[in-house]
Amino acid sequence: MLLGIISDIHGNLPALEAVLADVAEHSPDEIWCLGDVVGYGASPDECTALVADRCARSIAGNHDLAVLGSLDMDAFSPTAARAVRWTRENIGKESLAYLEGLAPVDESAGVALYHASPRDPVWEYVLWEDQATECIAAQSERISLVGHSHVALHFVIPGDRPQDGAGLPAEGSRASEGDTLDIRSGRWLVNPGSVGQPRDRDPRGAWLELDTGTLSATFHRVEYDVDAAADAIEATTLPAQLASRLYVGQ
């Protein structure tokens, strides 16, 4: 099966439309979303409707849960909390109903999906090898997919069983456009990067092409109309910082 994996859209409609168009050119069998459909950006309803229509599997992110009121905002930055409050005031009932049906983890697909990490599906940012080592030990499948950090990256421990490579740390790195992983062996944790708010100093939208037949994964980046996304934010009462950061991928 050929899959398009997307994550961390954050209400950025121009980015989502551009990424979905690029995904479609590769003719995937399904598209999966790793959460945070809303938050930060100015188009929560439009993005939720697209995800609901196009994604065969979708899980909830911490911003989605916060908008629903099922997650305390104490751990959010002031800017993120303001964006959550704005989204609550401007999101429609259909979007809320869709988000309410999502959980932050899905281990039913043969590839495990977690918004943040296998050991903390809501909050943990997996950025370092020591974290990845413990997370890979906790994941339910040989291959897991995570979002949340907004950084395209990958980690692997040799061997296909938890006892394989015992004591060995995970090896990993950030991913660049066009990087292809051979995931036929080893235990993997892979992050596709963010559609709507990348934080790796590359402002282009990110997605992952995952082939479960050949067991390969390829990272993609997509240009989109950043001006349109920024203008949409600036036309609201959302913090202006959320518009300016789109230009620098940070």
Side-chain angles (χ1 to χ4, degrees):
M1 180 180 288
L2 187 64
L3 302 170
I5 310 298
I6 63 174
S7 189
D8 297 282
I9 298 157
H10 284 293
N12 186 335
L13 183 60
L16 179 58
E17 290 176 332
V19 165
L20 288 177
D22 194 59
V23 172
E25 291 184 5
H26 293 76
S27 301
D29 297 295
E30 292 183 358
I31 302 173
W32 295 355
C33 177
L34 303 180
D36 275 355
V37 179
V38 301
Y40 295 133
S43 304
D45 286 329
E46 295 86 346
C47 289
T48 304
L50 270 177
V51 169
D53 180 61
R54 300 289 297 278
C55 293
R57 291 181 182 271
S58 186
I59 60 177
N62 58 309
H63 285 257
D64 304 323
L65 295 172
V67 167
L68 291 170
S70 57
L71 191 67
D72 198 310
M73 288 196 295
D74 287 349
F76 281 77
S77 71
T79 298
R82 283 182 60 190
V84 167
R85 288 191 288 269
W86 181 91
T87 304
R88 285 178 179 174
E89 294 168 358
N90 289 275
I91 196 169
K93 292 182 179 179
E94 290 186 9
S95 299
L96 290 174
Y98 176 75
L99 296 176
E100 284 172 352
L102 307 180
V105 55
D106 182 351
E107 297 177 325
S108 68
V111 174
L113 313 182
Y114 309 95
H115 174 65
S117 86
R119 62 180 181 176
D120 182 352
V122 176
W123 282 116
E124 183 177 19
Y125 293 90
V126 185
L127 294 168
W128 310 110
E129 292 176 344
D130 56 346
Q131 292 175 288
T133 301
E134 297 181 10
C135 286
I136 289 173
Q139 65 193 39
S140 67
E141 302 289 344
R142 188 175 69 82
I143 299 166
S144 70
L145 303 174
V146 300
H148 191 52
S149 72
H150 299 208
V151 178
L153 44 71
H154 53 86
F155 297 96
V156 62
I157 295 177
D160 298 342
R161 301 168 301 171
Q163 61 266 38
D164 295 338
L168 292 177
E171 297 180 357
S173 68
R174 292 193 178 189
S176 300
E177 180 183 15
D179 285 355
T180 297
L181 309 175
D182 180 349
I183 57 176
R184 289 176 295 177
S185 65
R187 287 168 288 143
W188 291 84
L189 185 150
V190 184
N191 190 321
S194 171
V195 169
Q197 196 186 91
R199 294 179 184 167
D200 54 5
R201 301 192 183 280
D202 182 343
R204 296 176 297 171
W207 70 279
L208 181 75
E209 180 182 357
L210 177 63
D211 192 325
T212 62
T214 63
L215 288 174
S216 64
T218 302
F219 293 87
H220 296 272
R221 301 305 286 253
V222 183
E223 299 275 2
Y224 76 94
D225 190 344
V226 178
D227 286 338
D231 289 348
I233 290 171
E234 291 173 348
T236 72
T237 57
L238 285 163
Q241 173 195 0
L242 297 177
S244 60
R245 72 190 304 176
L246 297 177
Y247 290 95
V248 294
Q250 187 59 40

